[in-house]
Amino acid sequence: MSVAGPANGYPEIVAALVHEDYPCVIELVRAAVAANPVAALSDPEIKSWLGRRYRNLFLVEAGKDKNALRAASVPLPLQLIDGRSGQELLARRFLKGMPRSQAAVRMPPAVEPDLHGITLLFVPGLMAGLLPSGAFQSVWPLLEERFGVRVLAADVHPVRSCAANEADIVTAIATGVGLDADSQRVSRRSAKPPTDVVLLGYSKGATDALSFLVDHPDFRDRIRAFVSWAGIIGGSYIADDIAVRLKDVEVPATPLSGQISKLLRQIVPVVQADRVNARLEQYEVKAAVAEMTTAVREAWLREHIGELAQLGIPTFTVAGVTSVLDVPYYQAVGAMQLNNYDKNNDMLLTVDQTRLPIPQATQLATFRGHHWDLGYDPFPWFTRMGSLNVDHKFARYPALAALLVFLAELGLLG
């Protein structure tokens, strides 16, 4: 299914990597991306470097974040513990598969970017607005304040097909109407269409975004990069199971009521069906779940992978890995089901299912955290149903801040 990329054509970068001349690597990679983004970002040596550099930047950002340090049990001030630096302890807590030798490497600090004029266009996932907190809701204002970037969330429907949700993404990018960094609706009177866009899709939002990119290539020139954050690109075995259980359930006239509500509450007990008070006629429960099944996603990729590759948009993905002991107790059965396929999963999908098999796509990191942990703020205590694993301690702000610094260093946001 994957589209092959070119063989290595950057011997100077390889030589600089061998000599650990990281300032030179950074300069040469940026120049290569400027000259030919697709060729550079498809090169295996450059792709390997991109992952290393992003993870390094993440550790630097996490080292400045008190919540991340607390979650990783790193005391302040940073000091050696059992021979390990604070950066190594952060890597052990938040990054899967990062060698200790890499975690200890000191790379050049990044230049703080000025991102005025850049819009981070966010596409949230299934049940957006129906869970106890919003995805990245505490992170967006911090990013705007620090970098000057504008955050705009597409007001996609929480339970609808990818094709139907394209309309909401088009509205956001064509008119600037959506939700701002404080989750407030942007009026048409005050809206400004974004011109330079980082498109970031979380969970099902990544598949909504991919569908938009294929069906609306006329917006391609505005997209500086596409980032899939724990995106359900290859489908989910959990969704396969839910789809089977929904097959013979009659969809009621009132969304998320009757048998549908009962089944969804069994699957996600914290879903707040009482929030269903708008766009009622647009709910497509079965279609939304079907979009996340392995059969549908794999078929979609087979049909459109060539088009995605030809768009030439720099693409980056991240994944999560968790354990049954670290997920909410009511998600444990699903996590155990996934373990039968691959123990490297985030309780909803496996690491392999987060990858986009086009040459210019790079997997930047596999984080230690479950699917909600990677995206959602802590759920309020009164919605937790006794679970200790919905406080969501993953370092979301450092991860997103490092992403913007990383993209700017590559020259993609210049």
Side-chain angles (χ1 to χ4, degrees), residues 19-20 103 123-124 132 143 203 295-296 303 308 366:
H19 291 95
E20 299 182 355
V123 186
L143 296 179
S203 192
V296 169
E303 183 177 355
L308 287 171
T366 300

Side-chain angles (χ1 to χ4, degrees), residues 22-270:
Y22 298 124
C24 183
V25 173
I26 291 168
E27 181 180 345
L28 290 172
V29 168
R30 183 184 177 101
V33 171
N36 190 330
V38 173
L41 298 174
S42 301
D43 181 84
E45 292 290 346
I46 291 180
K47 289 162 77 74
S48 177
W49 160 255
L50 296 177
R52 286 188 62 188
R53 181 55 170 165
Y54 170 73
R55 294 188 292 272
N56 167 259
L57 293 171
F58 166 72
L59 292 176
V60 170
E61 292 291 334
K64 298 183 290 187
D65 187 275
K66 291 183 178 180
N67 290 329
L69 292 168
R70 190 178 300 115
S73 301
V74 178
L76 292 173
L78 296 180
Q79 56 188 315
L80 289 175
I81 303 174
D82 298 328
R84 298 185 182 215
S85 67
Q87 192 160 300
E88 290 172 86
L89 292 172
L90 287 164
R92 183 177 64 178
R93 167 61 178 84
F94 291 120
L95 289 165
K96 168 76 172 177
M98 186 175 189
R100 182 178 176 183
S101 58
Q102 284 190 17
V105 169
R106 295 295 186 265
M107 293 184 183
V111 175
E112 185 79 356
D114 179 353
L115 301 181
H116 286 86
I118 302 296
T119 296
L120 193 161
L121 178 54
F122 178 57
V123 186
L126 189 75
M127 300 291 184
L130 302 181
L131 293 177
S133 67
F136 305 105
Q137 64 182 18
S138 68
V139 174
W140 301 140
L142 299 176
L143 296 179
E144 285 198 334
E145 181 180 3
R146 175 177 170 184
F147 298 111
V149 68
R150 173 194 180 193
V151 175
L152 176 67
D155 190 17
V156 294
H157 194 280
V159 187
R160 195 163 65 153
S161 69
C162 296
N165 273 350
E166 288 178 30
D168 298 320
I169 303 174
V170 169
T171 296
I173 196 169
T175 70
V177 171
L179 303 176
D180 66 15
D182 296 315
S183 301
Q184 300 301 304
R185 189 171 302 281
V186 178
S187 69
R188 289 193 176 273
R189 177 176 297 180
S190 62
K192 295 181 180 178
T195 54
D196 295 287
V197 173
V198 175
L199 182 62
L200 189 150
Y202 166 66
S203 192
K204 178 181 172 289
T207 63
D208 290 350
L210 288 173
S211 186
F212 157 77
L213 289 174
V214 166
D215 290 339
H216 299 275
D218 45 316
F219 291 108
R220 186 267 170 266
D221 288 344
R222 301 195 198 182
I223 310 297
R224 298 291 169 260
F226 168 60
V227 182
S228 172
W229 201 268
I232 310 180
I233 291 173
S236 166
Y237 299 115
I238 300 299
D240 291 350
D241 179 64
I242 298 172
V244 170
R245 295 163 67 183
L246 282 173
K247 183 178 179 181
D248 297 322
V249 174
E250 183 177 350
V251 177
T254 303
L256 303 186
S257 65
Q259 288 181 286
I260 292 285
S261 175
K262 183 178 180 180
L263 181 56
L264 289 179
R265 287 181 185 277
Q266 288 175 355
I267 298 164
V268 186
V270 294

Side-chain angles (χ1 to χ4, degrees), residues 371-404:
H371 196 76
W372 292 344
D373 195 11
L374 264 58
Y376 281 95
D377 280 357
F379 288 173
W381 66 268
F382 55 88
T383 67
R384 296 187 178 190
M385 299 184 63
S387 176
L388 300 176
N389 293 325
V390 287
D391 49 358
H392 302 160
K393 294 181 178 179
F394 176 70
R396 286 172 297 282
Y397 171 70
L400 267 293
L403 177 69
L404 292 178

